[in-house]
Amino acid sequence: MPLPDKSQLAAWIRDNPGHAAKRDIARAFNLKGGERIELKRLLRELEDDGTVQRRRKRFTPPGQLPPVAPLIVGEPDADGDLFAQPQDWEGEDPPPRILLTYLGKGRPPGPGDRALTRLTPVGGEAHAYEGRIIKVIGRAGDRASQRLLGVYRRDRRSGGGRVVPVRKGDAKEWRVPEGEAGAARDGDLVEAERFGPAPRRGREFELPRARILEVLGDAEQPKAWSLISIHEQGIPDVFPQDVLDAAEQASPPSDTGREDLRALPLVTIDPADARDHDDAVCAIPDEDPANEGGFVLWVAIADVAHFVRPGTPLDQEARKRGNSTYFPDRVVPMLPEKLSADLCSLVEGEDRACLACRIVIGQDGEKRAHAFHRGIMRSPASLTYEQAQAIADGAAEAAGQGAVDEAVIDLFDAYDALADAQTRRAPLALDLPEREIRLRDDGSVASVGFRDRLDAHKLIESFMVLANVCAAETLEAKRRPLIFRVHEEPAEEKLEALRETAESCGMTFAKGQVARPAQFNRLLDQAAGTDFAELINLSVLRSQTQAYYAPGNLGHFGLSLRAYAHFTSPIRRYSDLIVHRALIAAHGWGEDGQTDDEAAALQDTAEHVSMTERRSMTAERDANDRYLSAFLKDRVGDEFEGRVSGVARFGVFVKLDETGADGLIPIASLGREWFRHDADANRLVGEETGRVIGLGMRA
């Protein structure tokens, strides 16, 4: 094959993005020996005249990116879309804009992250490429300067120091030269920015240079543990000034155009440490002779849509956050405190704007009718779950509250009816206690246990589920676009894994049936009261798909419901605010309802809030793990009771009864004899004594 000319070389490079190293080009044109020297000269000429550019030993046309490249993620735009720029851009023109797609695998991306991305050219005016994120690979600044969250360790000899990373998987330390540490002191939790060139080839052992950008506090203090999770996951935790200003300027709505619901005994029932109250409930015995023994239920929800209008700074920030995030020592709210804890919160004794659902149920707990109202309410009491339960149980200390006591008793009577209907519906009946981390005033862990599961909790859950069903059905009937809460049925491979676990515990999980929640409930009933109860509950949970938000109705498998939408928590979930606006528009209640632009963007919004929900769940789990580790670190040498939760060739996993913490006991610690791993039966068997260690056993 003759030596190609420069036009042929340029055409081949253009048609083979990402594969145009000099060796690739020589192989494509079958060039050998002295021809490769000539090829090098031609490529240099193409590079000098700007026809091609060389990036990391590969040639590309100017402005063209390879199929896979590291990108720097920017801030979401007004619609919540994430855009990025190339990490390495050497062209004279501005770097191309890239629209990102996150498929829900691995850690969700956030502003400032570096993400390895598969690129597809689209050549559009708004963006030149679309990028599918393969993996988030670190933090970065506005361009190629990476960022790191870590602990600063001062080096007195050099006058500088090092940053030791706190993120799982970040093993390499960064060197902070003298003068670049700012106000950081030894032991501070800091955010550092890498600067300067990367270590030269052959000197990769050199530590990257960095400067301290921000001091976040003492890394040894407990309050740093949630900060680490917040920064690792890229959760926005500081409100922009224009958002705070908008919240401060907000004022309560007038009564005009609203129904007066202040005579209703709408009480709030929340955790003792709740700072906001976005739902209130009451149940009134139905006086209709045709519904003897039935109830009229009211579920009133804070009218956040009045304060947070589409396209405003408050709305853009709420959408960016997607939801509130809860840690043992703090909350990162979706809305500023002026709204979340004051104007929007259904505070006892104060007039508050609300959207309310009036629901008629029969004596059997089945819904007979429902309708939505926009009104003004005034809660006569803000109760904790424990207070409401005490009233229902007739505790002496709860007596004497008159009308409030009667309202609570009516609520529990209505709940009994709803519970009967729920039993017939047969939703997934998992029994997994919620871990509770209790802190001292200084932020250290006082204890780790599990929250009590009261009927008062179940009462509120049943009322909220019913109101959410009503919202979905109303908007479907009115043909108004909305975001559904979707939970699809489990995948077959997960069902097979659950079946194997059940069989190893001596239980049966029927095969070849169409999956139904009742099928899982029968397995849970088999396990109830046995050593395998917690293991089976966890295994059933792991077999389920992850719930998400979508503009299309695919039903809710776990709740055994045809249509379901989140309506009851607009202070802490953006998805619920979207549903409120749809209801306002559907009923013609004002100009603060759903806009055409918002309706057109529901797919993007649903994907975004699904991502922010997963991001918050990851941050909350990681922070709780750090608190739990700190609590157990001070108890080294103590003995705990637990159960075997997993068996592997190298040892057994044990879940502790007291805290729910998981730990590994290496096989070398089980005794002097050799243990054989029986993978089918999920157990270890001692070769000499025949000792068996299997799932569910006490440890």
Side-chain angles (χ1 to χ4, degrees):
M1 179 180 294
L3 190 71
D5 58 28
K6 289 195 291 187
S7 62
Q8 291 173 313
L9 283 175
W12 192 92
I13 291 170
R14 183 187 63 246
D15 296 337
N16 293 272
H19 301 286
K22 188 175 72 172
R23 187 190 330 179
D24 298 323
I25 300 171
R27 187 181 297 116
F29 289 97
N30 196 26
L31 304 179
K32 300 178 180 179
E35 293 174 329
R36 294 199 174 201
I37 298 175
E38 183 63 16
L39 172 64
K40 183 177 181 180
R41 182 186 64 79
L42 292 173
L43 290 172
R44 189 183 300 114
E45 291 180 3
L46 288 173
E47 191 177 356
D48 290 342
D49 63 24
T51 304
V52 301
Q53 61 183 12
R54 179 164 53 180
R55 304 170 71 243
R56 295 189 177 183
K57 298 186 177 181
R58 285 183 169 81
F59 294 89
T60 63
Q64 182 171 310
L65 297 176
V68 175
L71 307 180
I72 306 302
V73 181
E75 292 282 349
D77 66 3
D79 296 323
D81 291 327
L82 276 181
F83 287 88
Q85 294 182 355
Q87 174 180 299
D88 302 306
W89 181 254
E90 300 172 357
E92 295 181 0
D93 295 330
R97 198 163 183 247
I98 304 162
L99 175 65
L100 294 180
T101 301
Y102 171 65
L103 300 180
K105 297 180 179 180
R107 180 170 74 84
D113 276 336
R114 295 170 59 239
L116 188 64
T117 311
R118 189 174 301 280
L119 301 174
T120 302
V122 294
E125 294 183 4
H127 52 275
Y129 292 83
E130 291 182 356
R132 181 167 59 83
I133 293 176
I134 300 171
K135 183 180 181 181
V136 176
I137 54 178
R139 295 283 296 166
D142 293 335
R143 294 290 298 273
S145 55
Q146 305 169 30
R147 294 190 181 185
L148 178 75
L149 187 71
V151 178
Y152 177 65
R153 295 301 181 193
R154 187 164 176 259
D155 185 346
R156 288 181 172 81
R157 290 178 300 176
S158 69
R162 297 187 181 195
V163 177
V164 181
V166 296
R167 189 200 300 267
K168 300 170 185 175
D170 283 348
K172 196 167 187 178
E173 300 177 358
W174 287 8
R175 178 171 62 89
V176 180
E178 184 177 6
E180 298 291 353
R185 297 174 298 180
D186 188 67
D188 278 346
L189 179 68
V190 300
E191 186 172 25
E193 178 185 57
R194 181 171 172 172
F195 72 94
R200 297 186 300 276
R201 184 174 182 181
R203 302 182 65 87
E204 287 81 5
F205 63 88
E206 292 182 351
L207 298 180
R209 288 187 294 165
R211 60 173 64 93
I212 304 299
L213 292 178
E214 184 178 2
V215 178
L216 303 174
D218 186 347
E220 297 300 320
Q221 293 299 312
K223 292 183 178 180
W225 299 331
S226 54
L227 272 177
I228 291 171
S229 295
I230 290 168
H231 279 257
E232 277 192 343
Q233 298 303 322
I235 295 174
D237 63 333
V238 177
F239 285 104
Q241 190 58 48
D242 61 339
V243 174
L244 293 174
D245 292 342
E248 288 298 324
Q249 294 164 10
S251 58
S254 68
D255 299 359
T256 306
R258 293 179 179 270
E259 295 184 50
D260 190 347
L261 306 177
R262 285 172 284 201
L264 293 174
L266 288 160
V267 299
T268 64
I269 304 177
D270 293 289
D273 58 353
R275 298 183 62 187
D276 57 71
H277 310 277
D278 48 12
D279 59 84
V281 293
C282 69
I284 303 169
D286 196 353
E287 297 179 354
D288 186 349
N291 189 28
E292 184 177 354
F295 289 87
V296 176
L297 313 180
W298 284 87
V299 178
I301 307 299
D303 190 355
V304 176
H306 169 79
F307 300 95
V308 184
R309 307 291 179 100
T312 62
L314 276 168
D315 177 55
Q316 292 172 7
E317 183 68 15
R319 189 186 189 279
K320 181 169 73 172
R321 294 178 178 226
N323 47 263
S324 299
T325 308
Y326 296 84
F327 300 97
D329 67 327
R330 75 188 69 209
V331 176
V332 180
M334 186 179 79
L335 300 174
E337 187 173 4
K338 175 68 174 179
L339 296 180
S340 62
D342 185 8
L343 291 179
C344 292
S345 186
L346 306 181
V347 180
E348 176 182 344
E350 299 288 342
D351 288 356
R352 287 292 183 261
C354 66
L355 292 190
C357 186
R358 181 184 186 273
I359 311 167
V360 180
I361 65 168
Q363 189 175 21
D364 58 358
E366 298 294 340
K367 177 168 69 71
R368 296 192 171 191
H370 74 270
F372 283 89
H373 304 260
R374 199 175 198 186
I376 295 286
M377 61 160 285
R378 182 187 299 148
S379 175
S382 292
L383 303 175
T384 67
Y385 285 112
E386 291 76 15
Q387 288 173 328
Q389 190 67 54
I391 294 172
D393 294 342
E397 62 270 17
Q401 299 185 45
V404 172
D405 284 14
E406 293 179 14
V408 172
I409 296 299
D410 286 340
L411 280 171
F412 274 84
D413 287 344
Y415 164 65
D416 288 341
L418 290 175
D420 290 340
Q422 178 176 303
T423 299
R424 291 190 296 274
R425 192 176 83 240
L428 197 58
L430 290 167
D431 182 18
L432 290 168
E434 182 183 357
R435 182 184 293 158
E436 181 179 26
I437 297 175
R438 291 176 286 274
L439 305 179
R440 300 184 181 93
D441 291 341
D442 64 358
S444 61
V445 182
S447 63
V448 178
F450 296 95
R451 296 184 188 275
D452 293 332
R453 176 77 168 156
L454 305 174
D455 283 343
H457 292 94
K458 300 174 186 177
L459 181 156
I460 293 299
E461 287 177 4
S462 65
F463 275 59
M464 297 304 108
V465 167
L466 187 56
N468 289 337
V469 170
C470 293
E473 291 179 352
T474 294
L475 292 174
E476 278 193 317
K478 291 181 176 292
R479 300 183 181 278
R480 193 75 203 181
L482 73 149
I483 290 179
F484 293 90
R485 182 63 168 177
V486 171
H487 183 223
E488 299 183 69
E489 64 183 45
E492 182 56 41
E493 57 268 22
K494 290 191 174 183
L495 294 180
E496 186 59 36
L498 174 61
R499 191 172 292 113
E500 292 175 359
T501 299
E503 290 175 354
S504 70
C505 297
M507 302 175 192
T508 58
F509 184 67
K511 191 174 184 178
Q513 300 181 11
V514 176
R516 294 284 187 270
Q519 180 185 1
F520 295 93
N521 290 343
R522 286 191 289 272
L523 175 60
L524 294 170
D525 289 341
Q526 293 179 61
T530 72
D531 290 344
F532 304 105
E534 184 177 10
L535 173 66
I536 293 298
N537 272 270
L538 284 170
S539 298
V540 169
L541 177 64
R542 290 167 183 154
S543 71
Q544 304 302 304
T545 59
Q546 189 172 36
Y548 61 96
Y549 295 101
N553 182 17
L554 299 176
H556 198 294
F557 177 83
L559 292 176
S560 193
L561 292 169
R562 184 196 65 80
Y564 194 64
H566 276 165
F567 157 75
T568 54
S569 295
I571 290 178
R572 62 185 180 89
R573 290 190 306 226
Y574 192 79
S575 58
D576 302 50
L577 177 56
I578 292 292
V579 171
H580 276 233
R581 289 173 178 165
L583 287 167
I584 291 168
H587 290 89
W589 283 332
E591 298 180 355
D592 48 357
Q594 186 183 67
T595 64
D596 291 341
D597 288 344
E598 187 177 56
L602 284 185
Q603 179 65 50
D604 291 339
T605 300
E607 292 177 359
H608 175 71
V609 295
S610 295
M611 180 276 289
T612 61
E613 179 186 49
R614 290 189 293 268
R615 179 178 68 185
S616 292
M617 290 171 62
T618 300
E620 291 166 355
R621 183 183 63 246
D622 288 351
N624 285 340
D625 285 348
R626 289 189 177 94
Y627 276 102
L628 182 56
S629 296
F631 177 69
L632 293 175
K633 183 180 69 173
D634 296 332
R635 302 184 66 181
V636 173
D638 291 359
E639 293 187 2
F640 302 90
E641 292 188 356
R643 294 186 185 276
V644 175
S645 59
V647 179
R649 177 176 51 81
F650 47 82
V652 295
F653 294 93
V654 175
K655 181 179 286 292
L656 304 184
D657 294 343
E658 179 184 340
T659 62
D662 289 296
L664 170 66
I665 301 178
I667 199 166
S669 302
L670 298 177
R672 294 181 177 275
E673 66 179 317
W674 178 266
F675 281 88
R676 177 173 52 84
H677 180 218
D678 185 345
D680 294 333
N682 266 319
R683 63 182 186 176
L684 295 173
V685 181
E687 292 284 3
E688 298 177 13
T689 64
R691 179 188 177 194
V692 175
I693 302 175
L695 291 175
M697 290 181 59
R698 303 297 305 177

